[in-house]
Amino acid sequence: DAKTTQPTSMDCAEGRAANLPCNHSTISGNEYVYWYRQIHSQGPQYIIHGLKNNETNEMASLIITEDRKSSTLILPHATLRDTAVYYCIVRVAVRSNDYKLSFGAGTTVTVRA
Amino acid sequence: KAGVTQTPRYLIKTRGQQVTLSCSPISGHRSVSWYQQTPGQGLQFLFEYFSETQRNKGNFPGRFSGRQFSNSRSEMNVSTLELGDSALYLCASSPLDRSSGNTIYFGEGSWLTVV
């Protein structure tokens, strides 16, 4: 799996958009970008994933650059409950033996009132 | 659809004892994997089961074992517990098929404290 680089931490004001960057310069053509988050003492929560087109769901938007070497997760209106560690992971989306996630240190996002 | 369910949520064991943790995957998911999370090592892959077969194992000693039943439910066992086994143990499931993709979903975890 390609490696990812994320900032260690970032702060965000409640109600504002939170933009979380991720670099994945060695991503392969068949690897997707996945985002998870982990709120303290809970299991990681799947947020979104994408290949090359921008994606949006009820939780967030994912913007992937045209060269696919970086992406940004956008939380449109951050709330205090969005305070968590956010993990950016690249992996093949549909391959029956791709069962493992390799987590890095992630970005600790703190939403402040 | 119910999520991944893990039991028990919290438990305390004594060094030398053994422990069994249980996981019920999301309905229809055939792959179940286990992870250990500690403050020092982060999230580490333990093993993965698919159709009752262990397909791969992470770099953990033989004291860590698991199994999967025909209904896809899984258990993991740790024998001869050591203080360093204190951790959050996470179970995850995935459909692993081309129509549904293989997004992995996690349970809330089982907090194990070894004293």
Side-chain angles (χ1 to χ4, degrees):
Chain A
D1 289 342
K3 293 184 69 174
T4 63
T5 304
Q6 299 177 252
T8 303
S9 63
M10 63 182 294
D11 285 359
C12 176
E14 187 179 23
R16 304 295 293 269
N19 298 315
L20 283 63
C22 178
N23 287 319
H24 31 78
S25 58
T26 60
I27 192 170
S28 300
N30 63 348
E31 287 183 316
Y32 284 61
V33 180
Y34 281 77
W35 283 85
Y36 285 79
R37 74 180 183 183
Q38 187 172 27
I39 296 170
H40 184 61
S41 301
Q42 298 181 21
Q45 178 187 25
Y46 165 76
I47 301 173
I48 198 168
H49 74 281
L51 182 64
K52 50 186 174 182
N53 297 324
N54 298 337
E55 302 288 344
T56 295
N57 63 19
E58 65 278 4
M59 289 184 67
S61 295
L62 175 60
I63 310 297
I64 302 174
T65 58
E66 194 167 338
D67 63 8
R68 303 211 319 123
K69 293 186 176 183
S70 65
S71 59
T72 300
L73 178 75
I74 301 173
L75 307 177
H77 305 288
T79 71
L80 298 179
R81 282 180 287 189
D82 291 323
T83 293
V85 179
Y86 288 76
Y87 297 98
C88 170
I89 299 164
V90 293
R91 62 191 286 260
V92 176
V94 182
R95 192 167 70 193
S96 63
N97 62 349
D98 189 12
Y99 44 78
K100 186 173 83 169
L101 292 174
S102 297
F103 288 87
T107 297
T108 298
V109 174
T110 303
V111 180
R112 303 193 185 278
Chain B
K1 195 185 260 192
V4 178
T5 305
Q6 292 188 245
T7 56
R9 285 280 284 135
Y10 304 93
L11 68 165
I12 300 174
K13 290 285 187 178
T14 305
R15 270 182 301 174
Q17 286 187 312
Q18 71 157 5
V19 66
T20 299
L21 308 177
S22 180
C23 172
S24 293
I26 293 172
S27 178
H29 287 195
R30 297 166 63 193
S31 167
V32 173
S33 51
W34 290 87
Y35 293 75
Q36 181 197 64
Q37 186 172 29
T38 59
Q41 299 296 320
L43 272 151
Q44 293 187 289
F45 172 76
L46 277 159
F47 30 63
E48 187 254 0
Y49 288 86
F50 183 83
S51 294
E52 302 179 66
T53 301
Q54 185 184 89
R55 298 200 295 181
N56 212 315
K57 192 174 189 298
N59 190 25
F60 280 83
R63 300 185 296 108
F64 292 81
S65 63
R67 59 178 175 168
Q68 186 182 32
F69 302 96
S70 58
N71 60 0
S72 293
R73 195 176 66 83
S74 177
E75 289 180 346
M76 69 161 283
N77 182 275
V78 188
S79 62
T80 319
L81 284 166
E82 301 176 358
L83 295 179
D85 297 332
S86 295
L88 176 64
Y89 289 88
L90 293 158
C91 173
S93 75
S94 174
L96 283 189
D97 64 65
R98 289 194 170 270
S99 63
S100 305
N102 64 348
T103 297
I104 295 175
Y105 299 90
F106 287 83
E108 291 302 306
S110 292
W111 279 99
L112 170 65
T113 300
V114 182
V115 297

